[in-house]
Amino acid sequence: MEQFHFILALVKNDITLPASNRIKNPISPDEKLAVTLRYLATGESFRSLSFAFRISHSYISIIVKDTLSTLKKHLMPIFLPDLSTIDLNKKASEFWTKWNFPNCVLAIDGKHVRIRCPEKTGSLFFNYKDYFSIVMLAMVDANYKFIAIDVGSFGREGDSGIFLKSTMGQQILDGSFGFPEKKQLPGSDKVLPHVIVGDEAFRLHPNIMKPYTRQSARHDKSKAVFNYRLSRARRVTENAFGLLSQVFRVFYQPINNDPVTCDDLIVVACCLHNLLRDSYLEENGQAFFDERDSSTTLQTNNLIPITRGGGFTNAEGFLVRDSFKDFFCNEGSVSWQEDK
């Protein structure tokens, strides 16, 4: 209830309509917000919601569109602030403490969010899995919180192109992202840059680590160990997407809205997810999901990964990755990695 009133206080003035001769008793902002949150939480059709709230389904579509736009405007500065305000050294410390990956500040991943085909868009949103989608690219910290997101790319676009044209991708590749200074690895004399971990969909870079190919890891135990340690850190993105879809079940079926409203919906859902994560961490004293308990699964028909293959690589990236591999097999080894 406190969280509901907190959100309502942010948007109340913008979604309140004054009484008039034509509409003497307009729908209250409380009910508008409740309808919108109900839609996000259940994914019900507007016609189904009209029976529950006794509001015309055509007007519910207007309410949801306007409320999502207002929520995005007020929630983004609070729950998805500019990266320059984020303490990346603290994020790196959390990744080392919780997921045993040093000098890692964030994990990155992308998903196709399933939508109904927008009018007059042809095959722009038609993806490689033969349905229509909008691409969401997200950076997640060690506590499953979304730190930066890029929403709105067409489903037909390739993974490398999506990352390159995104703001976060451009900042990483041109050196303006704001990574902390190079740091010595724990218990080692190696000094390496801070990195973001991702899967095969991203290009290798001194600040972006991706796994070795399956073929090379199959014949080299040290590479297999590196892949396991990287995947263990990278799985926070999968868990974050899983938690997002478990709470906001609108992601469990094609979203039937225009592309702009779909973009607003995804951004608002990520902001509300961060609100819930903050509350969870406060109540549980920075507890985090144990590896054995984080069995959240995605609806594979609605949130699917972006395609594999990250395009061109950077020569220095190979050296950084090999240094991490050597660290994981020597000073940074843990007892349970050999069993994986």
Side-chain angles (χ1 to χ4, degrees):
M1 184 62 70
E2 292 80 6
Q3 292 171 335
F4 179 86
H5 286 295
F6 168 73
I7 298 171
L8 179 62
L10 294 176
V11 302
K12 186 173 184 178
N13 293 335
D14 290 346
I15 62 175
T16 300
L17 289 178
S20 63
N21 290 333
R22 183 170 176 268
I23 305 176
K24 295 184 178 180
N25 296 306
I27 297 173
S28 67
D30 309 54
E31 194 162 12
K32 289 182 178 180
L33 181 60
V35 170
T36 304
L37 294 179
R38 180 71 177 176
Y39 172 64
L40 291 175
T42 64
E44 291 183 63
S45 67
F46 294 150
R47 195 171 290 276
S48 175
L49 289 171
S50 70
F51 288 107
F53 288 88
R54 302 183 69 182
I55 303 172
S56 165
H57 70 275
S58 59
Y59 192 57
I60 285 181
S61 67
I62 298 174
I63 289 174
V64 169
K65 180 178 180 179
D66 294 343
T67 306
L68 285 174
S69 177
T70 305
L71 285 169
K72 176 183 176 181
K73 181 177 71 174
H74 290 283
L75 293 180
M76 277 196 72
I78 301 174
F79 296 106
L80 287 172
D82 188 85
L83 277 170
S84 61
T85 64
I86 304 295
D87 185 359
L88 294 181
N89 281 305
K90 180 180 178 182
K91 299 299 180 185
S93 176
E94 291 174 346
F95 262 102
W96 171 242
T97 302
K98 297 181 177 182
W99 304 109
N100 305 109
F101 202 108
N103 289 18
C104 175
V105 293
L106 298 169
I108 187 171
D109 199 3
K111 294 292 180 183
H112 286 273
V113 179
R114 188 166 188 161
I115 64 172
R116 292 287 180 89
C117 177
E119 293 183 358
K120 300 179 181 179
T121 57
S123 61
L124 280 177
F125 293 92
F126 198 67
N127 65 32
Y128 72 104
K129 285 289 188 178
D130 295 339
Y131 66 74
F132 298 90
S133 65
I134 288 176
V135 179
M136 171 188 176
L137 205 61
M139 290 185 181
V140 180
D141 70 3
N143 295 309
Y144 307 157
K145 287 180 59 180
F146 293 103
I147 302 302
I149 61 174
D150 182 88
V151 179
S153 296
F154 300 125
R156 67 175 295 179
E157 294 184 66
D159 51 282
S160 184
I162 292 170
F163 178 70
L164 285 176
K165 79 170 190 177
S166 68
T167 301
M168 62 181 77
Q170 293 174 0
Q171 289 178 345
I172 292 172
L173 297 178
D174 65 17
S176 62
F177 186 80
F179 286 100
E181 294 294 326
K182 292 184 178 181
K183 186 178 179 181
Q184 185 173 340
L185 299 183
S188 172
D189 57 355
K190 297 180 184 294
V191 178
L192 295 178
H194 286 79
V195 298
I196 295 172
V197 294
D199 59 15
E200 300 95 332
F202 300 94
R203 61 175 56 189
L204 188 64
H205 184 270
N207 297 115
I208 302 177
M209 290 292 101
K210 60 181 287 187
Y212 288 96
T213 61
R214 294 182 183 181
Q215 183 176 2
S216 63
R218 190 178 297 118
H219 303 292
D220 189 330
K221 180 66 175 177
S222 62
K223 291 182 179 180
V225 168
F226 172 85
N227 283 1
Y228 169 67
R229 295 286 291 271
L230 181 139
S231 296
R232 187 172 184 271
R234 192 194 62 78
R235 65 199 291 273
V236 297
T237 57
E238 300 293 346
N239 291 344
F241 286 125
L243 290 168
L244 182 73
S245 59
Q246 286 286 338
V247 175
F248 302 105
R249 300 210 165 201
V250 69
F251 294 110
Y252 274 15
Q253 64 270 321
I255 301 174
N256 191 15
N257 285 304
D258 63 87
V260 174
T261 305
C262 287
D263 293 349
D264 292 344
L265 184 152
I266 296 169
V267 172
V268 169
C270 291
C271 291
L272 295 176
H273 168 88
N274 284 355
L275 170 68
L276 298 175
R277 290 301 302 160
D278 285 336
S279 176
Y280 175 86
L281 293 171
E282 289 173 5
E283 293 176 2
N284 293 274
Q286 294 295 316
F288 65 98
F289 287 99
D290 187 274
E291 184 176 2
R292 295 183 300 273
D293 300 329
S294 57
S295 56
T296 305
T297 57
L298 293 173
Q299 290 291 314
T300 55
N301 290 332
N302 300 297
L303 281 180
I304 62 168
I306 57 180
T307 54
R308 300 296 182 242
F312 299 106
T313 57
N314 183 293
E316 187 181 349
F318 287 103
L319 300 177
V320 175
R321 184 168 66 175
D322 288 340
S323 297
F324 274 112
K325 179 195 70 174
D326 295 339
F327 171 76
F328 289 144
C329 293
N330 295 288
E331 305 95 327
S333 64
V334 289
S335 58
W336 35 262
Q337 72 184 26
E338 299 298 330
D339 299 329
K340 299 298 179 180

